[in-house]
PDB file of all heavy atoms in Angstrom:
ATOM      1  N   ARG A 170     145.101 -26.883 -67.907  1.00 98.00           N
ATOM      2  CA  ARG A 170     145.108 -26.099 -69.124  1.00 98.00           C
ATOM      3  C   ARG A 170     143.830 -25.184 -69.227  1.00 98.00           C
ATOM      4  O   ARG A 170     143.930 -23.983 -69.553  1.00 98.00           O
ATOM      5  CB  ARG A 170     145.259 -27.003 -70.389  1.00 98.00           C
ATOM      6  CG  ARG A 170     146.588 -27.746 -70.472  1.00 98.00           C
ATOM      7  CD  ARG A 170     146.738 -28.381 -71.829  1.00 98.00           C
ATOM      8  NE  ARG A 170     145.655 -29.292 -72.207  1.00 98.00           N
ATOM      9  CZ  ARG A 170     145.667 -30.561 -71.873  1.00 98.00           C
ATOM     10  NH1 ARG A 170     146.660 -31.167 -71.253  1.00 98.00           N
ATOM     11  NH2 ARG A 170     144.628 -31.368 -72.268  1.00 98.00           N
ATOM     12  N   ALA A 171     142.665 -25.797 -68.924  1.00 96.00           N
ATOM     13  CA  ALA A 171     141.453 -25.034 -69.027  1.00 96.00           C
ATOM     14  C   ALA A 171     141.424 -23.925 -68.026  1.00 96.00           C
ATOM     15  O   ALA A 171     140.914 -22.829 -68.336  1.00 96.00           O
ATOM     16  CB  ALA A 171     140.266 -26.060 -68.814  1.00 96.00           C
ATOM     17  N   ALA A 172     141.890 -24.133 -66.855  1.00 95.00           N
ATOM     18  CA  ALA A 172     141.955 -23.128 -65.753  1.00 95.00           C
ATOM     19  C   ALA A 172     142.783 -21.903 -66.225  1.00 95.00           C
ATOM     20  O   ALA A 172     142.365 -20.762 -66.044  1.00 95.00           O
ATOM     21  CB  ALA A 172     142.390 -23.699 -64.459  1.00 95.00           C
ATOM     22  N   VAL A 173     143.990 -22.180 -66.799  1.00 95.00           N
ATOM     23  CA  VAL A 173     144.873 -21.122 -67.252  1.00 95.00           C
ATOM     24  C   VAL A 173     144.218 -20.377 -68.419  1.00 95.00           C
ATOM     25  O   VAL A 173     144.256 -19.132 -68.511  1.00 95.00           O
ATOM     26  CB  VAL A 173     146.259 -21.634 -67.614  1.00 95.00           C
ATOM     27  CG1 VAL A 173     147.067 -20.526 -68.339  1.00 95.00           C
ATOM     28  CG2 VAL A 173     146.956 -22.097 -66.403  1.00 95.00           C
ATOM     29  N   GLU A 174     143.589 -21.104 -69.308  1.00 95.00           N
ATOM     30  CA  GLU A 174     142.895 -20.406 -70.435  1.00 95.00           C
ATOM     31  C   GLU A 174     141.788 -19.471 -69.924  1.00 95.00           C
ATOM     32  O   GLU A 174     141.689 -18.340 -70.377  1.00 95.00           O
ATOM     33  CB  GLU A 174     142.248 -21.505 -71.387  1.00 95.00           C
ATOM     34  CG  GLU A 174     143.203 -22.259 -72.192  1.00 95.00           C
ATOM     35  CD  GLU A 174     143.858 -21.576 -73.349  1.00 95.00           C
ATOM     36  OE1 GLU A 174     144.352 -20.450 -73.132  1.00 95.00           O
ATOM     37  OE2 GLU A 174     144.043 -22.203 -74.427  1.00 95.00           O
ATOM     38  N   ASP A 175     141.045 -19.949 -68.911  1.00 92.00           N
ATOM     39  CA  ASP A 175     139.993 -19.118 -68.317  1.00 92.00           C
ATOM     40  C   ASP A 175     140.542 -17.884 -67.668  1.00 92.00           C
ATOM     41  O   ASP A 175     140.025 -16.731 -67.740  1.00 92.00           O
ATOM     42  CB  ASP A 175     139.216 -19.862 -67.286  1.00 92.00           C
ATOM     43  CG  ASP A 175     138.207 -20.946 -67.938  1.00 92.00           C
ATOM     44  OD1 ASP A 175     137.987 -20.839 -69.222  1.00 92.00           O
ATOM     45  OD2 ASP A 175     137.747 -21.753 -67.228  1.00 92.00           O
ATOM     46  N   ASN A 176     141.714 -18.114 -66.910  1.00 91.00           N
ATOM     47  CA  ASN A 176     142.350 -16.957 -66.186  1.00 91.00           C
ATOM     48  C   ASN A 176     142.752 -15.858 -67.152  1.00 91.00           C
ATOM     49  O   ASN A 176     142.731 -14.647 -66.793  1.00 91.00           O
ATOM     50  CB  ASN A 176     143.628 -17.483 -65.455  1.00 91.00           C
ATOM     51  CG  ASN A 176     143.279 -18.300 -64.259  1.00 91.00           C
ATOM     52  OD1 ASN A 176     142.114 -18.386 -63.908  1.00 91.00           O
ATOM     53  ND2 ASN A 176     144.273 -18.971 -63.762  1.00 91.00           N
ATOM     54  N   PHE A 177     143.122 -16.214 -68.391  1.00 91.00           N
ATOM     55  CA  PHE A 177     143.661 -15.199 -69.352  1.00 91.00           C
ATOM     56  C   PHE A 177     142.614 -15.069 -70.550  1.00 91.00           C
ATOM     57  O   PHE A 177     143.044 -14.664 -71.630  1.00 91.00           O
ATOM     58  CB  PHE A 177     145.005 -15.567 -69.834  1.00 91.00           C
ATOM     59  CG  PHE A 177     146.051 -15.407 -68.696  1.00 91.00           C
ATOM     60  CD1 PHE A 177     146.320 -16.470 -67.952  1.00 91.00           C
ATOM     61  CD2 PHE A 177     146.677 -14.188 -68.468  1.00 91.00           C
ATOM     62  CE1 PHE A 177     147.312 -16.479 -66.923  1.00 91.00           C
ATOM     63  CE2 PHE A 177     147.570 -14.111 -67.458  1.00 91.00           C
ATOM     64  CZ  PHE A 177     147.895 -15.181 -66.592  1.00 91.00           C
ATOM     65  N   ALA A 178     141.387 -15.375 -70.331  1.00 89.00           N
ATOM     66  CA  ALA A 178     140.416 -15.377 -71.432  1.00 89.00           C
ATOM     67  C   ALA A 178     140.232 -14.029 -72.077  1.00 89.00           C
ATOM     68  O   ALA A 178     139.885 -13.843 -73.168  1.00 89.00           O
ATOM     69  CB  ALA A 178     139.102 -15.970 -71.010  1.00 89.00           C
ATOM     70  N   SER A 179     140.311 -12.908 -71.256  1.00 70.00           N
ATOM     71  CA  SER A 179     140.031 -11.576 -71.825  1.00 70.00           C
ATOM     72  C   SER A 179     141.378 -10.916 -72.143  1.00 70.00           C
ATOM     73  O   SER A 179     141.837 -10.042 -71.491  1.00 70.00           O
ATOM     74  CB  SER A 179     139.272 -10.716 -70.875  1.00 70.00           C
ATOM     75  OG  SER A 179     139.420 -11.064 -69.495  1.00 70.00           O
ATOM     76  N   ALA A 180     141.982 -11.549 -73.174  1.00 54.00           N
ATOM     77  CA  ALA A 180     143.327 -10.988 -73.592  1.00 54.00           C
ATOM     78  C   ALA A 180     143.157  -9.588 -74.074  1.00 54.00           C
ATOM     79  O   ALA A 180     142.145  -9.228 -74.686  1.00 54.00           O
ATOM     80  CB  ALA A 180     143.905 -11.836 -74.722  1.00 54.00           C
ATOM     81  N   GLY A 181     144.137  -8.811 -73.785  1.00 52.00           N
ATOM     82  CA  GLY A 181     144.126  -7.405 -74.147  1.00 52.00           C
ATOM     83  C   GLY A 181     143.600  -6.507 -73.021  1.00 52.00           C
ATOM     84  O   GLY A 181     143.973  -5.431 -72.846  1.00 52.00           O
ATOM     85  N   ALA A 182     142.710  -7.071 -72.242  1.00 52.00           N
ATOM     86  CA  ALA A 182     142.285  -6.394 -70.991  1.00 52.00           C
ATOM     87  C   ALA A 182     143.176  -6.806 -69.928  1.00 52.00           C
ATOM     88  O   ALA A 182     143.860  -7.755 -70.003  1.00 52.00           O
ATOM     89  CB  ALA A 182     140.845  -6.784 -70.742  1.00 52.00           C
ATOM     90  N   SER A 183     143.179  -6.023 -68.770  1.00 53.00           N
ATOM     91  CA  SER A 183     143.971  -6.383 -67.693  1.00 53.00           C
ATOM     92  C   SER A 183     143.531  -7.725 -67.096  1.00 53.00           C
ATOM     93  O   SER A 183     142.286  -7.791 -66.794  1.00 53.00           O
ATOM     94  CB  SER A 183     143.950  -5.306 -66.609  1.00 53.00           C
ATOM     95  OG  SER A 183     144.524  -4.160 -67.125  1.00 53.00           O
ATOM     96  N   PRO A 184     144.373  -8.698 -66.900  1.00 55.00           N
ATOM     97  CA  PRO A 184     143.843  -9.921 -66.259  1.00 55.00           C
ATOM     98  C   PRO A 184     143.375  -9.657 -64.841  1.00 55.00           C
ATOM     99  O   PRO A 184     143.706  -8.657 -64.228  1.00 55.00           O
ATOM    100  CB  PRO A 184     145.092 -10.855 -66.214  1.00 55.00           C
ATOM    101  CG  PRO A 184     146.091 -10.213 -67.118  1.00 55.00           C
ATOM    102  CD  PRO A 184     145.745  -8.750 -67.183  1.00 55.00           C
TER     103      PRO A 184
END
Side-chain angles (χ1 to χ4, degrees):
R170 293 190 304 269
V173 170
E174 292 286 44
D175 286 347
N176 289 346
F177 292 91
S179 27
S183 296

